[in-house]
Every structure is written in structure tokens, then in C-alpha cells.
Amino acid sequence: MNFWIIQGLNGLAFGSLLFILASGFSLIFGLMRIVNLSHGAYFMLGAYVGLSAIEAGVNFWIAILIGGGAICILGTVIERFILRRLNGQPLAQVLVTLGIAFIIADTCVWIWTGDPRPVPMPRELTGAFRVSNLAFPIYRLFVIGVAFALAAALWFLLERSRLGAMIRAGVDDLPMARAMGIRTSLLFSAVFCLGSALAGAGGVLAGPILSVYPGLDSDMLPLALVVVILGGVGSLLGAFVGSLIIGFIYSYGQALFPDLAYVILFLPMVLVLTLRPTGLFGRQAI
Amino acid sequence: MTTPVLEVTGLYRFFGGLPAVRDVSMRIPAGERRLLLGPNGAGKTTFFNLIAGDFPPSQGEIRIFGQNVTRKSANQRTHLGMARTYQIITLFSKNTLLHNVVISLVGLREIRFNPWSDLRRQTPLWDEARATLALVGLEHLADRTVAETSYGERRRLEIAMALAQKPKLLLLDEPLAGLSADERQDVQRLLQSIPRDVTIVMIEHDMDVALAFADVITVMQHGQVVVEGSRADVVADPRTREVYLGH
Amino acid sequence: MRAPSFNLLSWLIAIAALLALPWLVTSDYYVNIASQVVIAAILALSLNLLIGFGGMISLGHAAYLGVAAYLSIYLTAHAGFGHLAGALIAIGATTVLAMLFGYLALRASGLGFLMITLALGQILWGVAYRWASLTGGDNGLGGLKRPHPFGLNLMDPAIFYYFALAFFGIALWCIARFVQSALGQSLQGTRDQPRRMRALGYNVWLIQWLSFVFAGFWGSVAGLLYAYYHQFVSPQTLHLTTSAETLLMVIAGGTGTLLGPVVGAALVVILKNVVSAYITRWLILLGVIFVVIVLFMPEGLVPGITRWVRSLRSRPRADKAADTPSIAKDSAR
Ligand SMILES: Nc1ncnc2c1ncn2[C@@H]1O[C@H](COP(=O)(O)OP(=O)(O)OP(=O)(O)O)[C@@H](O)[C@H]1O
Ligand SMILES: [Mg+2]
């Protein structure tokens, strides 16, 4: 019984990290039709930047801001100066983000070498939370809390704010949104900036759990893609549910059949693509 | 009573809550020349797309040659003996006219699954394509690419691609649109020459041309059928005037 | 799209040059690079079926290379199968995998297709990485001895080169026939006007799926040769970077022409070998090339440069540059 609870919490924690990454990816894809293949690299670079900040003596919480901020700036620059030039050429945009992903990944190896680097946990969150004979790391509970808070905040932003109304209009029908006078170029920058910042900050947040290593990007990017395929394009709820599903599958899979943890990931894809190609909560096919 | 070639009952199609086609029912017997009239946005092309199977109806049933095809794919319907042209020209613009017609011919033949024999060597197909092009007066342009032809020539190629399949039911979406007076006459004569066992449904804006052609006329507006009847009936009907003058 | 129409003479020259290559370059090192080019060219040709002729951008084509390589090495070196049985099972099983992946990826089109192929490919990479008891994990899988078909000693670089070249010749021939066949022409139709193709009676999904499987099959043949050549396979073979390198071969050589990917394969393999001798940062260069090509040469390196050269040459008749009747005329019959 304990095993199931602990692994369930682990899955929830991993799914939470995934949501922080995938929500931005999904928003960007849903609104701008850009498959940002740099997103995994943003996550990894954010983690490395955060790590360096911590090693330079910066407090963990500030390091999250630094990691998120750095990636936000990087993403905004890429969006403004490269992706925008390729407006209306989705394929060219994908290939550019792929190229940038390689550049970032290799630069990280260059700067931070090939060894895995653990990111130290903030002191106030070390230790375990105990209920009878169950112990669970407080930090993971904290990450779960952050993801739920983020989900709530994003929901509020999308459903209750003016910006959100514009984003939803853009996701549903971009030409129509443009015709209604929404300044889509500003909107694009805002969403890309938000998504990048989430990826970068998520990387730092993930550091104490996953540590940082070359290949973290390749590990996370396909999972984010699978989340969007499962959840549906541009759907926040889809990204949330999809992240948790993958989190659970991954966590239980790794504990029960460590060899096959990755093979099992095919399963939800086969099911969803066969039965519901729009994804669980998507309205349009991807 | 013989089975109608096309029978549609209670057809609806919504686009994001807005109905483009609303409760349309229609029976078209074999050999009839049917004309669809209606102002822009009346839902005529959408109606064609539903019959052709581009997307499923939101509600309603479609029968072709007595067979319920509502759930059948577009390509399956074509194999029953239906062909169509597009209002917005949809051709293989980098290929020659001849090639376009050959692709049309191959679509109904088993050879389309052949991954090995050179299509260029299928002489009978190319001869047949050339003959079809001659039918619409484009033989002299057979080896040009579509990109190098004029708009009127492309319109005629649209028709040639449909005729090549020797359909029993032919859907023509504004085949005369954008043609010069001379070209119109040519195409009209071509349409007139189609054998009587082919059932034709045509969308057309030009009243004079269309009236000369049609046996029965259906006037649509806002996705609905407003008037249906013989030429004389429809012209005399005050609702026809309303649709056109109110527009 | 048409392949450039080579006349008999240029074909003969090309064939003679390929056959004479081991005598022209005396060093084993260069013969081995030629073998790598030939294997990569098979993979690029097969990917170009999807990208150039089918308009389906796959970012997971390394899957067929890697899975066939893993399977053949595992079966022959670790599971006691003979060379022929191992090779046939590897190719057969990989083709079946292509059937499944094609089915999944073709549930979507365009960017969705790209995302699904990428995700499937990367999951395979993760499997190879983590299923260490079977795949050797990070250390990869080795121990394969090159076979001795018909008494040929494939350990000799020149003989191996001819062996790979024979497969390349067969692949090129089959793919060339496919492209000119009714099915291949239909595939190009579905790329340009899927809706019209449906209305003409074509089952667009089936055409795309069959082509996907066909491409997967030739990808697995490349994988088999890859296994024989390196006698080793690691998760890196399945990684997105391998798919991306293959994609680069296709777009560098120009999509939609038959021989473009072959030129692209030669360019990329040679560049990678040369660069790797001097610096360790091949991946950065790969990324930069992608960015530069997309931003400055969207039609591909070879077509871009060709057009540039042609426009220099025909400057006196610059007004005719846009007109291409000469290429247009010869093809239909
Ligand atoms: N794919 C689509 N998505 C959303 N709306 C559509 C789509 N196709 C058609 N419509 C809408 O349905 C309505 C009917 O369009 P349709 O093209 O059928 O009219 P039509 O009678 O053919 O007009 P025209 O004479 O201009 O060709 C229009 O309001 C159009 O905007
Ligand atoms: Mg219309």
C-alpha cells in the first residue's frame, strides 16, 4: 500500500514538473502554431543557469527567478528576431527551433561539462513529511503545490483576464481575432515570453529532483509533445491532465518495470490517437 | 418509380454554430439537368461538398444511385460514378494538363496501387487523356504545365478532369465563372454535348446561361431551399425576385 | 516534381566513378567514408520519399535505422541467429514497426505528423537508453561480425563499399521506379492537392501509409548496413540528432528531386567527418546550419546554389529566368 502512495506522489511530482514545461509549450503551439522544439533545451538551460546562480551564492528562490528570467529574455529575443521573420512558414519555424535546440544543448555541454550536476535543495524545504509510517520529501510536495497553483493562476489568466480572452480568441480563430483588432504580435510575444519563462523556472525547480545533465532536454521534450498529443492542442486542462497521466505512468512504470518505463509511454499515445485524435480535451486535430 | 440518382433528405451543416446548409432535401432523377441558384454565401458550395463527402453533414442523409453514402468517404463516393469540379480551381499546377487528366483517369483504376510500372509507359491512358483534352478543346496545350495556362483554360481543364472519369453524376460548381463571352459559349456548347444519361447538377450565377441549360431549378438562400420547380415556375415565382432583388 | 533528366552518358560516368572510387582514393579512410555516404544516402532517399514526394515531414526517421541496427546486432551476436535470418527478421520487424508508427503519425497531418514522429522516435531512444538488459543502455550493443555473403570478405573496406553500393543501387532503382509509378505519382498528388485526390477516387490515407511503410523498409535496409559497417549501435543512432542529420541531407540536396538527397548525404557525411577531426562541437554546427538554411536558403542548399549559378550564367536573358518550359516539356511522355 505504501508503495502505491509513495509512487503516486512521485508521479504527481513528476507530472507537476511536466505541466510547468508542457503548459507553455501547449499555449505557444495552440496560439502561434509554432512547435517550439527548443522547449526542452530552455528547460535544461534554465536549470543550468539556476545552478550556476546557486553556486555563486544566490538564494534558491532568486535562482528560480534568474533561471526563468534568463530564458524569458532568450525566448523573447528568438521570437522577435527569428521566428517572427518566418511568420506563416510553420515548417521553417520548427526547423529553426530544432537548430536552436541543438545549439543550446551543445553549448551547455561546453560550459557545464558532461557530468550530471545535482541542484541543492533550499534549506527550508529539506526533510520529509511523515504520516504514521509514511515519509515523503517536503520538496516534492512543494513542487506539486507550485504546479497546482500555476494551473489555477493560468486558468485565471486565460478565463478571467482580458489578456486571457485575447489568447483564447487567438487560439480559436487567429484571423478572426486579428479582424477584431487584437494586436496579435504583442500577444505572441507575451505568450512566448511566458512559456519560455515557465520552461526556465521549471528547469531550476526540477533541479533538486531530476538534477541537471546533458540529455535532460531530450528526456523532457518528447514528454511535453506526448502531453500535448494526449491533452489536445492549446487546452490548459488537457496539458494538466496529460501531464499527470504521463507522470503517473512514468513513475509507476519506473518502479514496477524499470526496463520498460519508456515502452509503456507508447500506450497512451496509441489509445488516444486511435480513439480520439483531437486529444482528450482538444477541439481540433493536431 | 425509378430510384433517383441523387437523393438528399434533411441535410444540415453547421460551421461553428452557424448553419451553412439548413434542412435541404432534394431528389434528382436520372438524366436531369439541375441548376442551383442563390446569392453569395447561400450554401451552394457547402451543399456540393457534403454530397462529395469532403466533410460529413451535421444531420441528414445522402443517397447516390440509391445507396446511402452519408458515412462513406469522398473517394468511395467517386467510385460509385460521381465527379465534381471546384469553384476555386484545384489543379496540379506544376504538372502538365495531360498529366492532370491522367491522374484523374488513374484514380478509378486498379493501377493506382501499382508501385512499380512506369506511369509514363501506360500509353492507352495517355491517349485517352489526350482525347479528353480534345473534347474540351485543350489538346494543343496538352504538354504545357497548368501554371502556364490562362484562367479560362484552367476552368476547362477542371471540367476535363471530371469528364475523364465518365461519371453518371456530375457536379459543376460555377464552371462559367470568370470566363470571357467567347469562352462561355465554348463551355456551354461543351456542356450541352454531354450525353443525356449523365445527370448534371450545376451551380451558376449567370441567369441567362443557366436558364437555357436547366430542366429544374433550385433557388437557395441562407442555407435553405427557397423555390424549386421548372424554369417557368421559378422565374415567375415572386420569391425568386425577392432573393435576387433583396440581395 | 521531376528528377533532373540525366542522359545515358552522365549516368555511365557517374556509375563508373562510383565503381572506380576504391582505386581513385587509395586510403582505407576515404573508402570507409564513401561507405558511410552510401549508407546515409539510402536513408536520405527513403526519408525524401516522405518529405519531398509526400510532403510529410518526419522527425523520427532514425527509428528505422536504429531499430533495424539494434535488432540485427542483437539477433545475430546475442541471440544466436544466423546472419541471413537475423537480417531478414530485423528488416521485417522494423517494417512492421513502420506500419504501426505510420498508422499513428497519419492520424494527424502537417505539424501534428511531425510532432508524433518526433515523439515516437524519442521514446524509442529512451527505450534503448533504459532497457539496458537488452540494449546495453548507454554502452550500446556490439559484438557483431560482418557476414561473409558468397565468400566475400566484408572486412575489407573496398569489398564492403561495393557491398553497400550494390544495396544503394537497388534502393535507388526501386525508389526511382516507385516515384514514376502510378502509386508514386499519386503520392505526389496527395502532397499537392489532397482534397482533389480524394475527389478523384484516391484513398489519400492509404497512399500515404503505404509510402510511409515503403520508406520505413528502406530505412531499415540502411540500418542493417549501418550495423554491418559499425558493428556497433548505441542510443545515439536513434536520437533526434540522427533524424535531424538525415533531414538535413534531404533539404540540403533539395527535396522532391531523386538525386538531391544523395548529394546531401555526401555533403553532410563528409562535413561531419571533416569537422569532427578538428572540433568536438558538431552539434552546434548542425544547429547553425539549420538556422542558416532556413533563414537564407529555404529551398535547400543545392537548388539554392544551382539557381544562383544559373542566374549568373543566363544573365543576358534574365527576363526568361522565371520561365521554365524546357524542363516542363520533356516529362509527361
Ligand atoms: N469550411 C468552412 N468553414 C467555415 N465556414 C464556412 C466553410 N465553408 C463555407 N462556410 C460558410 O458557409 C456559408 C456558405 O458558403 P458557401 O461557400 O457554401 O456559399 P456559396 O453559396 O457557394 O456562395 P458563392 O456563391 O459565393 O460561392 C458562408 O457563410 C461561408 O462563410
Ligand atoms: Mg460557392
Short mmCIF file of all heavy atoms in Angstrom, two decimals, chain B residues 94-120:
data_model
loop_
_atom_site.label_atom_id
_atom_site.label_comp_id
_atom_site.label_asym_id
_atom_site.label_seq_id
_atom_site.Cartn_x
_atom_site.Cartn_y
_atom_site.Cartn_z
N LYS B 94 1.97 22.32 -61.09
CA LYS B 94 3.32 22.13 -61.62
C LYS B 94 3.34 21.09 -62.74
O LYS B 94 4.34 20.94 -63.42
CB LYS B 94 4.27 21.70 -60.50
CG LYS B 94 4.69 22.85 -59.62
CD LYS B 94 5.45 22.36 -58.41
CE LYS B 94 4.51 21.66 -57.44
NZ LYS B 94 5.17 21.23 -56.20
N ASN B 95 2.24 20.36 -62.89
CA ASN B 95 2.20 19.29 -63.88
C ASN B 95 1.54 19.75 -65.18
O ASN B 95 0.85 20.77 -65.21
CB ASN B 95 1.44 18.09 -63.31
CG ASN B 95 2.13 17.51 -62.08
OD1 ASN B 95 1.60 17.57 -61.00
ND2 ASN B 95 3.33 17.01 -62.26
N THR B 96 1.75 18.96 -66.21
CA THR B 96 1.13 19.30 -67.49
C THR B 96 -0.37 19.02 -67.44
O THR B 96 -0.86 18.28 -66.60
CB THR B 96 1.73 18.46 -68.62
OG1 THR B 96 1.47 17.09 -68.34
CG2 THR B 96 3.23 18.67 -68.74
N LEU B 97 -1.08 19.61 -68.40
CA LEU B 97 -2.51 19.36 -68.49
C LEU B 97 -2.77 17.88 -68.69
O LEU B 97 -3.67 17.30 -68.08
CB LEU B 97 -3.13 20.15 -69.65
CG LEU B 97 -2.94 21.67 -69.72
CD1 LEU B 97 -3.99 22.28 -70.62
CD2 LEU B 97 -3.01 22.30 -68.35
N LEU B 98 -1.96 17.28 -69.56
CA LEU B 98 -2.12 15.86 -69.83
C LEU B 98 -1.97 15.05 -68.55
O LEU B 98 -2.76 14.15 -68.28
CB LEU B 98 -1.06 15.46 -70.86
CG LEU B 98 -1.36 14.26 -71.74
CD1 LEU B 98 -2.71 14.42 -72.42
CD2 LEU B 98 -0.26 14.08 -72.77
N HIS B 99 -0.94 15.41 -67.80
CA HIS B 99 -0.70 14.70 -66.55
C HIS B 99 -1.89 14.83 -65.61
O HIS B 99 -2.31 13.86 -64.97
CB HIS B 99 0.57 15.27 -65.89
CG HIS B 99 1.02 14.51 -64.69
ND1 HIS B 99 2.06 13.64 -64.70
CD2 HIS B 99 0.54 14.49 -63.43
CE1 HIS B 99 2.21 13.10 -63.51
NE2 HIS B 99 1.30 13.61 -62.70
N ASN B 100 -2.45 16.02 -65.53
CA ASN B 100 -3.62 16.23 -64.68
C ASN B 100 -4.74 15.26 -65.04
O ASN B 100 -5.34 14.63 -64.18
CB ASN B 100 -4.12 17.67 -64.81
CG ASN B 100 -3.43 18.62 -63.85
OD1 ASN B 100 -3.94 18.87 -62.76
ND2 ASN B 100 -2.27 19.13 -64.21
N VAL B 101 -4.99 15.14 -66.34
CA VAL B 101 -6.09 14.28 -66.75
C VAL B 101 -5.74 12.81 -66.50
O VAL B 101 -6.60 12.01 -66.10
CB VAL B 101 -6.44 14.52 -68.24
CG1 VAL B 101 -7.58 13.61 -68.66
CG2 VAL B 101 -6.82 15.96 -68.46
N VAL B 102 -4.47 12.46 -66.68
CA VAL B 102 -4.07 11.08 -66.41
C VAL B 102 -4.29 10.74 -64.94
O VAL B 102 -4.80 9.67 -64.60
CB VAL B 102 -2.60 10.84 -66.82
CG1 VAL B 102 -2.07 9.56 -66.23
CG2 VAL B 102 -2.50 10.79 -68.35
N ILE B 103 -3.92 11.67 -64.07
CA ILE B 103 -4.14 11.43 -62.64
C ILE B 103 -5.62 11.19 -62.37
O ILE B 103 -6.01 10.34 -61.57
CB ILE B 103 -3.63 12.64 -61.82
CG1 ILE B 103 -2.10 12.69 -61.83
CG2 ILE B 103 -4.12 12.59 -60.38
CD1 ILE B 103 -1.44 11.59 -61.07
N SER B 104 -6.44 11.93 -63.08
CA SER B 104 -7.87 11.75 -62.94
C SER B 104 -8.30 10.35 -63.40
O SER B 104 -9.10 9.69 -62.75
CB SER B 104 -8.60 12.84 -63.73
OG SER B 104 -9.96 12.58 -63.77
N LEU B 105 -7.74 9.90 -64.51
CA LEU B 105 -8.08 8.57 -65.03
C LEU B 105 -7.60 7.47 -64.09
O LEU B 105 -8.31 6.49 -63.84
CB LEU B 105 -7.43 8.37 -66.42
CG LEU B 105 -8.02 9.21 -67.55
CD1 LEU B 105 -7.13 9.10 -68.79
CD2 LEU B 105 -9.42 8.72 -67.87
N VAL B 106 -6.39 7.65 -63.56
CA VAL B 106 -5.80 6.61 -62.73
C VAL B 106 -6.60 6.43 -61.43
O VAL B 106 -6.68 5.32 -60.90
CB VAL B 106 -4.32 6.96 -62.42
CG1 VAL B 106 -3.75 6.04 -61.36
CG2 VAL B 106 -3.49 6.86 -63.68
N GLY B 107 -7.23 7.51 -60.98
CA GLY B 107 -7.95 7.45 -59.71
C GLY B 107 -9.01 6.36 -59.65
O GLY B 107 -9.33 5.86 -58.57
N LEU B 108 -9.55 5.98 -60.80
CA LEU B 108 -10.61 4.97 -60.80
C LEU B 108 -10.10 3.60 -61.22
O LEU B 108 -10.86 2.65 -61.34
CB LEU B 108 -11.74 5.38 -61.74
CG LEU B 108 -12.52 6.62 -61.32
CD1 LEU B 108 -13.64 6.91 -62.29
CD2 LEU B 108 -13.06 6.45 -59.92
N ARG B 109 -8.81 3.49 -61.47
CA ARG B 109 -8.29 2.23 -61.98
C ARG B 109 -7.41 1.54 -60.94
O ARG B 109 -6.78 2.19 -60.11
CB ARG B 109 -7.47 2.47 -63.25
CG ARG B 109 -8.34 2.81 -64.46
CD ARG B 109 -7.46 3.30 -65.60
NE ARG B 109 -8.15 3.32 -66.88
CZ ARG B 109 -9.07 4.22 -67.23
NH1 ARG B 109 -9.42 5.18 -66.37
NH2 ARG B 109 -9.64 4.17 -68.41
N GLU B 110 -7.36 0.21 -61.07
CA GLU B 110 -6.57 -0.58 -60.12
C GLU B 110 -5.09 -0.18 -60.15
O GLU B 110 -4.39 -0.29 -59.16
CB GLU B 110 -6.68 -2.07 -60.47
CG GLU B 110 -8.01 -2.68 -60.08
CD GLU B 110 -8.34 -2.46 -58.61
OE1 GLU B 110 -7.45 -2.64 -57.77
OE2 GLU B 110 -9.50 -2.08 -58.32
N ILE B 111 -4.64 0.29 -61.28
CA ILE B 111 -3.23 0.60 -61.43
C ILE B 111 -2.76 1.63 -60.42
O ILE B 111 -1.57 1.78 -60.15
CB ILE B 111 -2.94 1.10 -62.87
CG1 ILE B 111 -1.43 1.20 -63.10
CG2 ILE B 111 -3.62 2.41 -63.15
CD1 ILE B 111 -1.04 1.85 -64.38
N ARG B 112 -3.70 2.33 -59.79
CA ARG B 112 -3.28 3.39 -58.86
C ARG B 112 -2.47 2.84 -57.69
O ARG B 112 -1.77 3.58 -57.01
CB ARG B 112 -4.48 4.19 -58.36
CG ARG B 112 -5.42 3.45 -57.44
CD ARG B 112 -6.63 4.32 -57.14
NE ARG B 112 -7.55 3.72 -56.19
CZ ARG B 112 -8.44 2.79 -56.50
NH1 ARG B 112 -8.51 2.33 -57.73
NH2 ARG B 112 -9.24 2.30 -55.57
N PHE B 113 -2.58 1.54 -57.43
CA PHE B 113 -1.79 0.96 -56.33
C PHE B 113 -0.49 0.35 -56.83
O PHE B 113 0.23 -0.27 -56.06
CB PHE B 113 -2.61 -0.09 -55.60
CG PHE B 113 -3.73 0.52 -54.81
CD1 PHE B 113 -5.05 0.21 -55.09
CD2 PHE B 113 -3.46 1.42 -53.79
CE1 PHE B 113 -6.08 0.78 -54.37
CE2 PHE B 113 -4.49 2.00 -53.07
CZ PHE B 113 -5.80 1.68 -53.36
N ASN B 114 -0.21 0.49 -58.11
CA ASN B 114 0.99 -0.13 -58.66
C ASN B 114 2.23 0.70 -58.32
O ASN B 114 2.34 1.85 -58.75
CB ASN B 114 0.83 -0.25 -60.18
CG ASN B 114 1.98 -1.00 -60.81
OD1 ASN B 114 3.12 -0.88 -60.36
ND2 ASN B 114 1.67 -1.77 -61.84
N PRO B 115 3.16 0.13 -57.56
CA PRO B 115 4.34 0.89 -57.17
C PRO B 115 5.52 0.69 -58.11
O PRO B 115 6.62 1.12 -57.80
CB PRO B 115 4.67 0.32 -55.79
CG PRO B 115 4.26 -1.11 -55.90
CD PRO B 115 3.12 -1.18 -56.90
N TRP B 116 5.31 0.00 -59.22
CA TRP B 116 6.47 -0.46 -59.97
C TRP B 116 6.48 -0.01 -61.43
O TRP B 116 7.49 0.53 -61.90
CB TRP B 116 6.54 -2.00 -59.90
CG TRP B 116 7.83 -2.54 -60.40
CD1 TRP B 116 8.01 -3.27 -61.54
CD2 TRP B 116 9.12 -2.39 -59.81
NE1 TRP B 116 9.32 -3.59 -61.69
CE2 TRP B 116 10.03 -3.05 -60.63
CE3 TRP B 116 9.61 -1.75 -58.67
CZ2 TRP B 116 11.39 -3.10 -60.37
CZ3 TRP B 116 10.96 -1.80 -58.40
CH2 TRP B 116 11.82 -2.48 -59.24
N SER B 117 5.38 -0.21 -62.16
CA SER B 117 5.47 0.11 -63.59
C SER B 117 5.40 1.62 -63.82
O SER B 117 4.66 2.33 -63.15
CB SER B 117 4.39 -0.59 -64.40
OG SER B 117 3.52 -1.28 -63.59
N ASP B 118 6.16 2.03 -64.80
CA ASP B 118 6.28 3.45 -65.10
C ASP B 118 4.97 3.99 -65.67
O ASP B 118 4.49 3.51 -66.69
CB ASP B 118 7.41 3.62 -66.13
CG ASP B 118 7.85 5.07 -66.23
OD1 ASP B 118 6.99 5.95 -66.00
OD2 ASP B 118 9.03 5.30 -66.52
N LEU B 119 4.41 4.96 -64.99
CA LEU B 119 3.14 5.52 -65.44
C LEU B 119 3.27 6.13 -66.83
O LEU B 119 2.33 6.14 -67.62
CB LEU B 119 2.66 6.56 -64.44
CG LEU B 119 1.29 7.18 -64.70
CD1 LEU B 119 0.20 6.12 -64.70
CD2 LEU B 119 0.96 8.23 -63.66
N ARG B 120 4.45 6.64 -67.14
CA ARG B 120 4.64 7.28 -68.45
C ARG B 120 4.50 6.29 -69.60
O ARG B 120 4.26 6.66 -70.73
CB ARG B 120 6.02 7.94 -68.52
CG ARG B 120 6.13 9.15 -67.61
CD ARG B 120 7.56 9.63 -67.51
NE ARG B 120 8.42 8.59 -66.93
CZ ARG B 120 9.68 8.80 -66.59
NH1 ARG B 120 10.23 9.98 -66.76
NH2 ARG B 120 10.40 7.83 -66.05
#
